[in-house]
Amino acid sequence: MSVIRLKYAHSDPLFHYSGLNPIWASNNESIRLILEGKASIGFVPLTYAALNCDALYVIPKFAIYSDGPVISARLFKGLGTGYAAVSDTSVNALAVRRLLNIEIKVIDDPYTALRNFGAVLVIGDDALKMVDAGYPYIIDVGELWKERVGLPLVYAVMVVTRNYNYHELNTVISAIEKSLELFERDPEPVIQYTASRIGVSRELIRQYFGAIRYRVDDRVILGINEELRIFGIGNCLRFLGNKA
């Protein structure tokens, strides 16, 4: 049984105690691996789930989102002109484009881009490293979204392919629930693990895990619907279960 987890720090609480052996994937890789049949269950950016809704169901139990400042998605201040974003971002780049009405060039190396552009959108572990190192920033994407939209900004959702195995899906859901419960009971071991893994301070990861949310409720569903509307992506998502 193969499961996709996103490679960034935000996914550590979901999988640290799960006992699963997930495939670690970037945002862009996650949807490709699922569509290619390398796994039938996993987390993918909301945008990719919506663009492939004919092949997937969304599991409305877990997601990766923020309801205010997120820390790991920021527009960092550069030395040049214009705007750029790392290539592995979809949700955050669209949020910045739509809310600020700016054009963004896609780049791969955020550190080089900071010398060439006036502002660079960096996400995930690289963003956390920049925050920890004190790089100046212009905007925190989660904070901007909260101010302008007033709903959670959903980065990734849990999906399963249409030909899913019921037993496998329930096994994965139970394993993730167990991991999340253990993390919530005592977050410090996961904080220590994540801080060491990516090379940043424990205090930063403590703050970060305080900003990231995982459990889906009706307000998160509203956030998903509004997010796709703002992004201009047709909402044909099918939720497996009773949320719609």
Side-chain angles (χ1 to χ4, degrees):
M1 177 175 57
S2 297
V3 180
I4 301 295
R5 67 149 279 175
L6 297 175
K7 67 180 185 179
Y8 300 114
H10 56 42
S11 293
D12 286 353
L14 294 169
F15 288 92
H16 188 75
Y17 298 111
S18 69
L20 300 170
N21 185 27
I23 300 170
W24 292 50
S26 68
N27 289 329
N28 294 334
E29 290 169 341
S30 64
I31 187 65
R32 176 179 61 79
L33 290 169
I34 286 181
L35 294 177
E36 290 177 353
K38 303 295 193 302
S40 61
I41 307 166
F43 288 82
V44 302
L46 172 62
T47 47
Y48 295 156
L51 291 170
N52 295 279
C53 58
D54 59 328
L56 305 171
Y57 291 115
V58 174
I59 309 302
K61 185 172 180 64
F62 306 113
I64 300 170
Y65 65 97
S66 67
D67 198 8
V70 67
I71 305 175
S72 65
R74 286 182 172 177
L75 202 59
F76 289 92
K77 185 175 178 57
L79 301 176
T81 59
Y83 299 91
V86 293
S87 57
D88 201 41
T89 178
S90 173
V91 168
N92 288 292
L94 273 170
V96 168
R97 283 191 179 107
R98 294 296 186 180
L99 297 185
L100 298 182
N101 193 29
I102 60 175
E103 291 301 318
I104 300 176
K105 183 175 180 179
V106 176
I107 54 90
D108 289 319
D109 182 356
Y111 296 94
T112 299
L114 285 172
R115 297 197 295 267
N116 301 322
F117 293 89
V120 181
L121 175 60
V122 186
I123 67 160
D125 297 356
D126 280 334
L128 292 173
K129 291 175 184 177
M130 288 183 174
V131 172
D132 197 54
Y135 281 62
Y137 73 98
I138 301 168
I139 287 167
D140 180 295
V141 181
E143 184 174 23
L144 174 69
W145 190 266
K146 179 71 171 182
E147 290 174 353
R148 299 283 184 91
V149 180
L151 288 167
L153 178 57
V154 179
Y155 307 103
V157 290
M158 186 178 181
V159 300
V160 64
T161 55
R162 292 291 178 98
N163 61 341
Y164 72 96
N165 178 285
Y166 180 83
H167 174 71
E168 287 186 355
L169 177 59
N170 279 345
T171 298
V172 172
I173 289 174
S174 296
I176 292 174
E177 178 65 39
K178 179 188 76 172
S179 185
L180 197 52
E181 286 180 353
L182 289 172
F183 165 76
E184 290 168 343
R185 193 177 305 163
D186 180 13
E188 289 303 315
V190 185
I191 289 169
Q192 180 176 347
Y193 163 79
T194 303
S196 176
R197 182 174 68 79
I198 66 176
V200 299
S201 71
R202 294 185 192 178
E203 181 54 34
L204 175 61
I205 296 301
R206 192 172 293 111
Q207 293 174 13
Y208 181 53
F209 285 159
I212 293 292
R213 303 282 186 271
Y214 301 103
R215 299 187 184 279
V216 173
D217 57 20
D218 290 342
R219 191 163 174 272
V220 175
I221 300 297
L222 286 175
I224 287 172
N225 294 334
E226 181 65 4
E227 189 171 328
L228 294 176
R229 186 192 69 78
I230 291 172
F231 289 171
I233 298 175
N235 188 353
C236 57
L237 293 176
R238 293 287 302 276
F239 293 92
L240 193 63
N242 59 6
K243 298 217 183 265

